[in-house]
Amino acid sequence: MRLQKKIYLLFMAFLTITFVNAQNKPASPAASATSKINGATISINYSSPSVKGRAIWGELIPFNKVWRAGANDATTFETDKELTIEGKKLPAGKYSFFVIPNEKESVIIFNKEAKQWGAYKYKEAEDQLRVTVKQQMADSSTESLVYNITKNSIVLSWEKWNIPISVK
């Protein structure tokens, strides 16, 4: 009887620890992408939300509204050298990175106020650069939001969209 009680208590402790650890995992974990394009080091820091069976574009992320391009804090974009983004100059620096999606294209925003929670206090007057890009439908769904830096672009991928941004 004593052994059974010990086994039962050990089992209950294991379940409790497992439950507590599961509760500590963030719903949108911190993520980053860092690479070089034409000698400039680019770093993108963001929180990566998951689709979790939800409709994303036009529903969870409304069309024609500023979105923080991730979860929690606004996504940050940092470059140590001037870049050309979609043909327009972006000075070296650290920026908040926002997107205004709609059905046909997305407005990409680099805002001078680098540290912001979400897009709640976003001010258009603080924008350093705005460009418009056409998103692409992906062949497969991307569960967790991810940024990929290639030799001449940055691509935001989530659900069934890829939002490519030309960088030189």
Side-chain angles (χ1 to χ4, degrees), residues 77-135:
F77 180 98
E78 188 169 6
T79 177
D80 64 349
K81 294 183 179 167
E82 180 180 84
L83 297 171
T84 302
I85 307 285
E86 295 291 327
K88 296 181 179 178
K89 299 291 183 192
L90 178 70
K94 187 172 185 177
Y95 304 94
S96 288
F97 181 79
F98 297 100
V99 176
I100 302 173
N102 73 33
E103 297 90 340
K104 296 182 181 184
E105 56 192 16
S106 294
V107 176
I108 306 301
I109 302 167
F110 297 87
N111 186 271
K112 291 182 256 183
E113 189 175 330
K115 184 71 176 157
Q116 298 187 48
W117 175 259
Y120 304 108
K121 294 186 179 181
Y122 163 79
K123 294 181 183 125
E124 186 174 344
E126 293 295 314
D127 289 352
Q128 178 68 48
L129 178 67
R130 279 182 169 226
V131 296
T132 301
V133 300
K134 291 195 179 289
Q135 60 268 7

Side-chain angles (χ1 to χ4, degrees), residues 2 5 14 25 36 58 60 72 89 96 123 140 155:
R2 226 173 148 93
K5 188 173 184 179
F14 175 76
K25 291 182 181 178
K36 287 187 179 269
L60 181 65
N72 305 323
K89 299 291 183 192
S96 288
K123 294 181 183 125
S140 60
V155 181

Side-chain angles (χ1 to χ4, degrees), residues 57 135-143 155-164:
W57 305 107
Q135 60 268 7
Q136 302 165 349
M137 292 300 292
D139 292 334
S140 60
S141 186
T142 302
E143 176 63 25
V155 181
L156 180 162
S157 299
W158 196 26
E159 194 203 27
K160 301 228 180 201
W161 278 21
N162 290 322
I163 303 176

Side-chain angles (χ1 to χ4, degrees), residues 5-20:
K5 188 173 184 179
K6 286 181 181 179
I7 290 171
Y8 174 76
L9 290 174
L10 187 61
F11 178 72
M12 292 306 291
F14 175 76
L15 285 178
T16 301
I17 290 168
T18 301
F19 178 76
V20 168

